[in-house]
Every structure is written in C-alpha cells, then in structure tokens.
Amino acid sequence: MTSSDNLVSHSGSCHCGNVKFTVLAPSVLEVWNCNCSICKKKQNLHFIVPKSRFTLHTGSEEHLTTYTFNSGQAKHTFCKTCGVQSFYTPRSNPDGVGVMPHCIDSDTVTEVINRDFDGQNWEQFIETSDIRSKSKE
C-alpha cells in the first residue's frame, strides 16, 4: 500500500452485521479486479493489506465459514448467515487480507482506483505484477 502516514481506519461488515472488521488502509484504495473462475463469478473486487492492519471484531469468527478449491491456497471466507464475503486470504498474498471495498461502512474511502489482475493466467501474471508487495509493511 502506501506509507503508514497515509493510513485511515475503515470499519466494515457483511450484510447482516454478524461479521465486523476494522482495516488500516489509505483513503484512496487500489482495488484489484481478478478474472479467475471464482472472482469472475462473484465479482471479487478487493484491496490488499498486511494481516497486521486487519482486525476481525470479537464474536465475528463464529459466523464465518471458508471455501477453498484448486490449489487450496486462497481462503474464501464468508458469513454463514448472509453469505457475504467481506474479506478473504488471496492466493497471491497469503500473508495479507483481501478486503472488499463495498463492505466498508464508514465514510472513509475518498477514491477507488481499479487495477486488473489476470487470474485466468495466474502463474504468468503474478511474475510481472506488483500485487505481492501489497501485503508487506
């Protein structure tokens, strides 16, 4: 992301409110639009932060379930009640968290910059992309 001087605290949740979180990220979010099989189906737009900047609120974990497929590296976490995925662990950044900007409830996002990620050609794209740097402090 950017230097810690530009971070703000964003609050977010799933639709029913059982899963709540806080994430430290810039107010201008760099959001990835992946075209892999699952991201395309669920229109998985997300920004990536280091795990240390993501806090799942107390009591939220009991409302979560996780879906994995193929390599099993990505952990597609979602609310058991409403089915909304407000965050997940991306295959590209297992040391980070992918957060859905549309699940931010606070009025703290000033701009969204969209970037494409070619998940259909994951192995080739990951070698030329800077996405792995997004989960680093």
Side-chain angles (χ1 to χ4, degrees), residues 12-116:
S13 66
C14 64
H15 185 258
C16 70
N18 284 335
V19 176
K20 295 181 180 178
F21 63 89
T22 304
V23 60
L24 290 174
S27 63
V28 176
L29 299 177
E30 182 179 38
V31 173
W32 294 90
N33 182 16
C34 179
N35 66 354
C36 77
S37 62
I38 193 164
C39 289
K40 187 174 177 181
K41 291 244 182 220
K42 58 183 182 165
Q43 298 187 6
N44 186 19
L45 300 173
H46 60 281
F47 63 97
I48 298 172
V49 297
K51 281 185 183 176
S52 64
R53 294 188 189 157
F54 181 86
T55 304
L56 186 61
H57 291 198
T58 304
S60 293
E61 189 153 348
E62 67 189 65
H63 297 284
L64 293 172
T65 191
T66 302
Y67 173 71
T68 61
F69 70 101
N70 200 5
S71 70
Q73 292 178 323
K75 308 297 183 213
H76 298 274
T77 310
F78 59 96
C79 176
K80 291 185 214 178
T81 304
C82 67
V84 169
Q85 176 183 280
S86 49
F87 67 94
Y88 81 115
T89 304
R91 176 182 173 195
S92 61
N93 299 73
D95 58 342
V97 179
V99 181
M100 288 50 205
H102 47 273
C103 289
I104 300 292
D105 299 323
S106 55
D107 194 21
T108 49
V109 177
T110 58
E111 184 180 358
V112 172
I113 299 168
N114 289 301
R115 293 192 58 193
D116 289 330

